[in-house]
């Protein structure tokens, strides 16, 4: 349908078409940006008939907020968990007010935009908040100057009518000027926000014309990330104080027309504070998929008489309308996930640092401050990292902060997530696309996925929460490989890095195995770096030394990388080499060295390591000679949910072939001392929602094939692991005396839990603890912990 013909449709038909298009493009997710509002200057070179933001110098203590004032507001926002610093200002105030020009000159700034650039840089550097610069109709050169300090920029088109009384005193609102800025932003690849103002004297046809112009510019450049459809409300003290407010139906029709005129990828926003909360459902029904910026700290300085709805009320209204609320960044995921095109090099890491795996904003409550380190120069193989400055209070894997409480919670699925869960309930095996859908669950959908996973857990293994008493023996931290996520391994001469490079002797390894047995361990886990002096027989000798020292101790050791490299150095077929290891005492292989089984991601995380097919082949070979193993995934660094789904599908296919995997272990990326993070190339690990979903979705994906889903208490802490017992997890792993690898990456947990602690975690979820062997045979608990009766 031609855009102009849309005006002939009835409102119900118009909004129904808009909803269908919105749901197809964006599902049930509605986003918002947690922000602070920084009114850099309320002076403006224009006089619009509806505006109370712009004022005169005599009404202000100073023409501009100074650096300290700007930073104070930004710090409040960062402490409150915001991601965005919205800079709003009048257009070109120095043109109209000598006081503004003098203030700028006295501080060494050539223009308002020059000062804006400096303040954006200050906020970005000191707080990590992402600036959104809303500087109006500015030149291409000014847009370009702001690009390195503001990931996104914006300017409302409002209307392309050139005869509106509302714009009579506003030369910057000339249509040609607004369109020139919009076009220049596209040519500069700037993620851009624009929009229309509904009810200032324009007709519905006029709105179509303005939206079509925006759509045309986006078609040329792909840069319009969101279009705000704002309803006019008259304000006392303005020329339009007696004008009629935008009618609700006109606003809803404008939203629907915007949705239908614009490319489906463009997000449509309506400010939630300009509509009463009980009217928000009608805006959702008209096609919005974003609420814009909502601040827990600052008022809407453009509409101070209209307070933001509280986040709880906004979430409740969104969920009541059948949708899920999710925080975003100043740039939408489509732009955040394509940084080479859309982001200046200077803003790529700040955006990444606040991103989740979908390119949305991290949603764990608490502050996210930029991490600074006293010593992090040698990050090729790890470093002695001492963090300085303000500490984040949000949850991260490995951090000494309790995980947010997501479970138990009300469970309700809608849309595509419900469709997938219905398929699971009917016994269908999920493919890659369906798994990606589950990884995108938000709000009450998360609990619905977890609930389904936990039901499958009950069916597969019952209520027992199992664990094994074991000890880690990391026999060397010297490694010739350069995995960018590893803070444990050292080069042979890296005495200046964390700890001293070491290599345990065979006697040392055997003695640690004896100690483990005497302390009640039934398993030792052997892992280490790939030492340059090793030949393949080293691993055979280690296995034999442990087995001869303690014949009944289960030897769980050597990753796919270690066995593949051992066989390669001996020029020996892998199956034959694995048989020699088995004869020497090896019983099972850990699934580590898997990281993400997708070579696109492995090229970043472990470029010189075995590839996806080599990992799969190593475990295929192990299973063929009677050695069981497990599946791991290290998630939360640089990959996306699509890569997680591929990992699950590929390992499930191997399990269907060999039946050799005993369990799945999800290992959240610990960022603190990881080289790839210190080099500003990775996220801060997964969010807690992503952790919950990883365990729950794995349970669903592997149902009928891998019965045991394990939570890594080392990376998640006891409280986090306990919460996952409601999301399909049935195993808590091992007591892990001497866990070193996670702690080397910065984890606060580790160094062992005792049997009583495991029983306590299980009891917290209302379930019994059960000690097991490596192969999941039950063992009696100590008498003091055994259940009565």
């Amino acid at each position: 349908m031609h855009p102009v013909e849309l005006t002939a449709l009835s409102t119900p038909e118009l909004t129904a078409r808009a909803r269908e298009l919105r749901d197809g493009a964006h599902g049930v997710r509605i986003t918002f940006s947690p922000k602070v509002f920084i009114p850099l200057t309320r002076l403006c070179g224009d006089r619009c008939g509806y505006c109370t933001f712009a004022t005169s110098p005599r009404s202000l203590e100073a023409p501009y907020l100074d650096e300290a004032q700007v930073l104070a507001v930004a710090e409040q926002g960062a402490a409150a968990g915001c991601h965005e610093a919205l800079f709003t200002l009048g257009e070109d105030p120095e043109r109209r007010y000598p006081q503004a020009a003098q203030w700028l000159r006295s501080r060494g700034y050539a223009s308002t935009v020059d000062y804006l650039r400096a303040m954006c840089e200050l906020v970005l550097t000191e707080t990590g908040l992402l600036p959104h610069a809303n500087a109006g109709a500015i030149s291409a050169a000014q847009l370009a100057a702001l690009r390195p300090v503001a990931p996104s920029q914006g300017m409302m088109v409002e209307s392309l009518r050139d005869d509106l009384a509302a714009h009579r005193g506003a030369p910057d609102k000339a249509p040609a000027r607004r369109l020139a800025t919009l076009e220049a932003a596209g040519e500069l690849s700037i993620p851009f926000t624009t929009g229309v103002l509904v009810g200032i004297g324009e007709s519905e046809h006029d709105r179509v014309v303005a939206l079509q112009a925006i759509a045309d510019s986006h078609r040329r450049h792909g840069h319009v990330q969101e279009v705000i459809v704002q309803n006019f409300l008259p304000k006392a003290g303005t020329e339009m104080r007696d004008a009629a407010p935008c009618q609700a139906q006109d606003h809803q029709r404008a939203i629907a027309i915007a949705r239908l005129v614009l490319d489906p990828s463009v997000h449509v926003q309506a400010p939630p504070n300009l509509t009463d909360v009980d009217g928000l459902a009608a805006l959702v029904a008209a096609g919005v998929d974003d609420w814009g910026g909502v601040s827990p700290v600052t008022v809407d300085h453009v509409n101070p008489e209209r307070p933001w709805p509280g986040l709880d009320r906004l979430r409740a209204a969104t969920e009541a309308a059948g949708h899920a609320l999710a925080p975003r960044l100043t740039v939408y995921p489509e732009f955040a996930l394509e940084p080479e095109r859309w982001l200046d090099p200077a803003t790529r890491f700040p955006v990444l640092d606040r991103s989740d795996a979908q390119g949305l904003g991290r949603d764990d409550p608490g502050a996210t401050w930029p991490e600074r380190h006293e010593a992090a120069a040698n990050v090729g193989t790890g470093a002695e990292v001492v963090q300085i400055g303000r500490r984040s209070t949000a949850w991260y894997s490995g951090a000494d902060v309790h995980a947010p409480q997501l479970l138990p919670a009300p469970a309700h699925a809608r849309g595509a997530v419900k469709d997938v869960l219905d398929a699971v309930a009917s016994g269908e095996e999920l493919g890659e696309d369906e798994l990606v859908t589950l990884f995108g669950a938000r709000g009450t959908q998360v609990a619905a996925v977890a609930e389904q996973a936990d039901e499958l857990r009950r069916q597969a293994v019952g209520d027992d929460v199992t664990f094994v008493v074991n000890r880690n023996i990391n026999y060397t931290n010297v490694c010739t490989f350069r995995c960018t996520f590893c803070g444990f391994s050292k080069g042979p001469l890296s005495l200046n890095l964390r700890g001293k490079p070491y290599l345990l002797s065979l006697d040392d390894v055997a003695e640690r195995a004896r100690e483990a047995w005497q302390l009640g361990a039934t398993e030792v886990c052997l892992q280490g770096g790939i030492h340059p002096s090793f030949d393949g027989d080293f691993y055979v000798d280690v296995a034999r030394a442990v087995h001869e020292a303690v014949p009944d101790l289960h030897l769980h050791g050597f990753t796919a990388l270690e066995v593949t490299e051992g066989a390669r150095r001996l020029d020996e077929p892998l199956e034959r080499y694995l048989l020699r290891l088995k004869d020497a005492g090896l019983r099972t292989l850990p699934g580590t060295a898997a990281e993400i089984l997708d070579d696109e991601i492995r090229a970043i995380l472990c470029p010189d390591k075995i590839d996806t097919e080599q990992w799969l082949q190593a475990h295929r070979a192990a299973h063929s000679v009677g050695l069981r193993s497990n599946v791991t995934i290290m998630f939360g660094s640089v990959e996306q949910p699509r890569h997680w789904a591929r990992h699950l599908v590929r390992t499930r296919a191997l399990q269907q072939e060999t039946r050799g995997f005993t369990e799945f272990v999800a290992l959240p990326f610990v960022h603190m001392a990881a080289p790839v993070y210190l080099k500003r190339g990775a996220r801060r690990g997964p969010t807690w929602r992503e952790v919950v979903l990883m365990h729950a979705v794995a349970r669903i994906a592997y149902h009928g094939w891998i019965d045991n889903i394990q939570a890594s208490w080392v990376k998640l802490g006891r409280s986090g692991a306990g919460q996952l017992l409601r999301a399909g997890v049935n195993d808590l792993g091992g007591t892990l005396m001497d866990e070193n690898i996670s702690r080397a990456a910065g984890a606060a947990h580790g160094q062992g839990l005792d049997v009583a602690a495991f029983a306590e975690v299980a009891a917290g979820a209302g379930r019994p603890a059960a000690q097991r062997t490596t192969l999941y045979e039950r063992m009696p608990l100590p008498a003091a912990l055994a259940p009565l009766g």
Side-chain angles (χ1 to χ4, degrees), residues 26 225-227 259 265-269 289-290 332-334:
H26 305 288
Q225 60 171 0
E226 64 179 339
V227 170
R259 174 62 68 197
S265 65
V266 175
H267 300 269
V268 175
Q269 176 196 132
D289 70 293
D290 184 76
Y332 283 83
E334 299 88 339

Side-chain angles (χ1 to χ4, degrees), residues 13 132 150 159 170 210 324:
E13 185 175 1
H132 176 76
S159 176

